[in-house]
Amino acid sequence: MVPKRYMMMSILLLVVWIAFYTSLGRNGDNHMHKVNSWITTGTKLEDSSPCTENLAWLEPYKFSYPIRYVSRNIIAVQTPNKSRSSITVLDQPLFASFTTVDLKQSSEISNNECLPPLTLEVSRTKVPPVDASNIIFGLQTTIARLRDTVKHLARWLPHTGARLFAIVIENEENPADEVEMVDLERKFHALGMNVTIMHPVRRIDSFAQRYFSLVSVMYRARNEKTQWICCIDDDTFFPSMYDLQAMLAKYDTSEPLYLGSLSEDWWAVQHYGLMGFGGAGIFLSLPMASVIYDNRNECSENLRTTAGDITVMDCIYRFSTVKLTHIPGLHQIDMHGDLSGFYESGREMLSLHHWKEGSATGFKLEMEKMHLIADLCDSCFLQRWQFSNDVIVTNGFSISAFPNGHLFQPKNLISDSAGVEKINLDAVEYTWNDNINVLHSVAPTRDKLDESIKTSYRLLDSMHINENSSGVRQVYFREGKQKSYYTKREIDTVIVLNWLQDNEKFSSDFRPG
């Protein structure tokens, strides 16, 4: 017979075992409970009302239904003389509650707690094309990469008066096809871009020599309006030509000027020099370009590296006393891996780089979709708003929820979670893979946040809405996760923001109930 004490011990172990596995099941739903709670905790729902939406437009996405869904209409209002803040804190929630949607059952949904349109202040709305006829841009690439770049250049170059010269090859062994070059140039022109596509100045030119020769090509093409020539890469992106011109206007172009940005990686700065890194954009005033042009042969034939931007620096430092004027808003982006912390930083973004597929960072972004919101409110792209339910919108990139109350709240809000360590949103979240020194560039930084602290919904798509294409719809998405073998997979989540300017009406997709 088994002694009584062993029997009691066995029963106790059995109880502990059952409790442990039961808790696994509960904990699997605990995260979802927290994510749901940030929608309603501390929010003011007295203005909510029933509404219906027709979601037939979601069908092409082929989501795994059912999904959790919520949307909000936003009206962008231009506030005169309002500068863009790193983050704007609002004493109201972004959403009321999620709705479970299954398009297999119905494309029409009803929600009992829809909030009225949200008004957000922005610096500018519907900015007409900026006159950038004082700038000539130049890049060198392959004909294939240039063809893929059309949709990206179309976001900032058309109808500005700026010119762009593109030196192209098929590959290092073969020249680009002449017919293809002509056809591609016509495509640029049809889209309102003044682009000239050309073969290398010399067939034998190396990568660095082709890049360096752009300075002479652009300088020879100058006219009475030209003040700046700018070397870029095929994945250099200028989010706001208005902001770029405002920055350039601060400088006296009658002086020799060398404007650019250092790499974010201090090792690269130490290794290559205090130079303008090419992907961020290198701006040369005409007097500066003249120095390079006059010494082009000497500089081109005495290369110390295979990098064209280094050759530009070497030529300037060798034949003038001019030094780099560092522009922090121009970004080389020499980090690798997950760059969400950088894009969610609220920092000034005069240029972006290394976001294209196949880039050195390995962090592909669909910039043409992200940047579409700029059609409505220009520099509101990547602008941040913090809401009372611990949610941050980084416009065009992500929506982040902090369900445990890690965000500082204004003093007039009661529901500020006590005893929870708060996040310094002025510091950049260190999400990238590299262990690099960014003290001179991206700092201050903070540690990467665990998913238990921060839940991220990334931009999936954006499109114009309404017949006159005046509004922008953004679709943010998070794939449901399976936390463990013992828990069910979470369902996917779709969050939609419908943006319009003041005095415009929303489409019939969304209407009061």
Side-chain angles (χ1 to χ4, degrees):
M1 180 178 293
V2 179
K4 184 180 293 185
R5 66 175 180 274
Y6 291 124
M7 183 178 295
M8 294 297 294
M9 185 176 295
S10 298
I11 293 172
L12 179 61
L13 288 173
L14 179 62
V15 170
V16 171
W17 185 87
I18 292 172
F20 172 74
Y21 280 96
T22 301
S23 70
L24 279 178
R26 290 199 195 101
N27 290 339
D29 295 328
N30 187 47
H31 178 71
M32 288 300 296
H33 171 73
K34 288 181 178 179
V35 172
N36 279 321
S37 70
W38 62 255
I39 292 292
T40 55
T41 301
T43 62
K44 301 175 181 178
L45 302 181
E46 59 268 22
D47 293 330
S48 65
S49 61
C51 65
T52 60
E53 286 186 75
N54 188 326
L55 299 181
W57 62 270
L58 284 177
E59 291 178 0
Y61 294 102
K62 305 296 182 184
F63 293 127
S64 297
Y65 292 98
I67 61 172
R68 297 188 323 135
Y69 174 86
V70 70
S71 68
R72 187 75 186 271
N73 292 341
I74 298 176
I75 299 174
V77 177
Q78 178 172 306
T79 303
N81 303 319
K82 180 180 178 62
S83 60
R84 170 177 159 169
S85 302
S86 172
I87 188 165
T88 301
V89 181
L90 301 173
D91 184 7
Q92 57 182 304
L94 180 58
F95 302 117
S97 61
F98 281 115
T99 300
T100 300
V101 172
D102 190 346
L103 290 192
K104 297 175 183 177
Q105 304 298 323
S106 174
S107 61
E108 187 115 333
I109 67 162
S110 297
N111 191 334
N112 292 325
E113 291 185 331
C114 289
L115 295 176
L118 171 69
T119 298
L120 294 181
E121 295 182 343
V122 296
S123 302
R124 295 180 296 278
T125 58
K126 284 287 185 180
V127 177
V130 173
D131 181 6
S133 56
N134 61 331
I135 308 175
I136 304 176
F137 295 97
L139 63 85
Q140 68 100 14
T141 186
T142 65
I143 188 71
R145 283 184 64 90
L146 184 62
R147 190 186 312 112
D148 183 58
T149 303
V150 173
K151 60 187 176 184
H152 307 128
L153 289 172
R155 292 300 312 153
W156 58 268
L157 186 61
H159 311 296
T160 60
R163 291 177 286 162
L164 185 145
F165 287 84
I167 293 177
V168 296
I169 57 173
E170 179 68 30
N171 51 50
E172 291 297 335
E173 290 74 38
N174 300 298
D177 180 75
E178 189 74 36
V179 174
E180 189 173 2
M181 291 169 62
V182 172
D183 288 344
L184 186 55
E185 188 173 289
R186 287 173 179 164
K187 184 175 182 179
F188 276 111
H189 293 171
L191 293 171
M193 291 181 273
N194 189 347
V195 175
T196 300
I197 302 176
M198 56 186 291
H199 291 291
V201 175
R202 299 183 307 174
R203 175 76 182 271
I204 62 171
D205 278 352
S206 65
F207 180 94
Q209 289 171 324
R210 292 195 300 271
Y211 185 99
F212 181 74
S213 70
L214 284 166
V215 177
S216 296
V217 168
M218 291 185 283
Y219 184 72
R220 284 195 294 264
R222 70 193 185 280
N223 59 29
E224 68 281 357
K225 294 183 178 180
T226 307
Q227 295 178 314
W228 300 96
I229 64 173
C230 176
C231 297
I232 61 175
D233 288 353
D234 63 21
D235 59 345
T236 302
F237 191 90
F238 296 106
S240 171
M241 289 292 279
Y242 182 98
D243 290 341
L244 182 67
Q245 282 285 55
M247 179 275 291
L248 293 174
K250 298 175 183 178
Y251 297 92
D252 181 1
T253 54
S254 67
E255 299 292 328
L257 296 170
Y258 172 35
L259 274 57
S261 183
L262 302 174
S263 169
E264 291 81 8
D265 183 357
W266 184 244
W267 177 90
V269 177
Q270 288 181 307
H271 192 73
Y272 299 118
L274 294 171
M275 56 174 272
F277 281 70
I282 298 172
F283 290 86
L284 306 172
S285 64
L286 287 187
M288 186 78 268
S290 175
V291 172
I292 295 176
Y293 182 77
D294 291 343
N295 296 281
R296 61 191 182 280
N297 293 330
E298 178 69 18
C299 295
S300 181
E301 296 304 322
N302 291 279
L303 307 179
R304 66 181 178 94
T305 73
T306 58
D309 48 5
I310 294 178
T311 307
V312 171
M313 173 191 67
D314 286 348
C315 196
I316 291 172
Y317 290 173
R318 183 179 176 188
F319 292 103
S320 79
T321 59
V322 175
K323 298 296 181 282
L324 176 72
T325 298
H326 181 232
I327 310 297
L330 301 174
H331 296 284
Q332 171 72 7
I333 311 185
D334 274 342
M335 300 91 82
H336 302 84
D338 179 8
L339 300 183
S340 57
F342 172 81
Y343 283 95
E344 293 172 344
S345 66
R347 302 285 177 86
E348 182 183 34
M349 305 287 184
L350 291 177
S351 71
L352 298 168
H353 182 229
H354 279 158
W355 46 267
K356 205 172 180 181
E357 185 173 17
S359 72
T361 65
F363 191 64
K364 178 193 173 185
L365 295 172
E366 294 182 284
M367 194 62 69
E368 71 280 7
K369 293 181 180 180
M370 291 170 53
H371 188 254
L372 193 67
I373 189 63
D375 288 355
L376 186 132
C377 48
D378 193 57
S379 59
C380 71
F381 172 57
L382 298 180
Q383 186 170 350
R384 299 188 298 177
W385 285 275
Q386 177 184 332
F387 296 87
S388 61
N389 50 346
D390 290 322
V391 174
I392 294 176
V393 171
T394 302
N395 200 5
F397 184 80
S398 69
I399 296 174
S400 301
F402 301 81
N404 299 315
H406 286 273
L407 300 184
F408 283 103
Q409 296 289 359
K411 293 180 180 179
N412 60 325
L413 286 182
I414 299 175
S415 59
D416 198 2
S417 303
V420 176
E421 183 179 356
K422 302 301 181 180
I423 297 169
N424 177 13
L425 293 175
D426 290 330
V428 179
E429 185 180 357
Y430 202 119
T431 58
W432 49 94
N433 299 338
D434 317 79
N435 182 20
I436 58 177
N437 183 355
V438 295
L439 187 63
H440 70 291
S441 56
V442 182
T445 61
R446 52 185 167 85
D447 291 342
K448 184 175 182 178
L449 298 174
D450 185 80
E451 285 191 356
S452 63
I453 297 175
K454 174 186 175 184
T455 304
S456 296
Y457 305 81
R458 290 283 298 277
L459 184 81
L460 174 68
D461 200 3
S462 63
M463 66 213 74
H464 287 117
I465 53 176
N466 291 347
E467 294 180 358
N468 59 358
S469 299
S470 59
V472 173
R473 170 175 288 154
Q474 297 172 327
V475 182
Y476 295 86
F477 176 76
R478 178 178 173 83
E479 184 178 5
K481 303 291 181 67
Q482 183 164 356
K483 300 298 181 180
S484 75
Y485 176 80
Y486 301 97
T487 60
K488 292 182 179 180
R489 178 184 176 275
E490 300 169 355
I491 61 177
D492 298 340
T493 302
V494 174
I495 300 176
V496 172
L497 300 182
N498 298 307
W499 292 77
L500 278 185
Q501 289 186 82
D502 199 9
N503 299 321
E504 292 183 320
K505 295 182 179 180
F506 289 96
S507 70
S508 59
D509 287 342
F510 184 97
R511 58 183 183 272

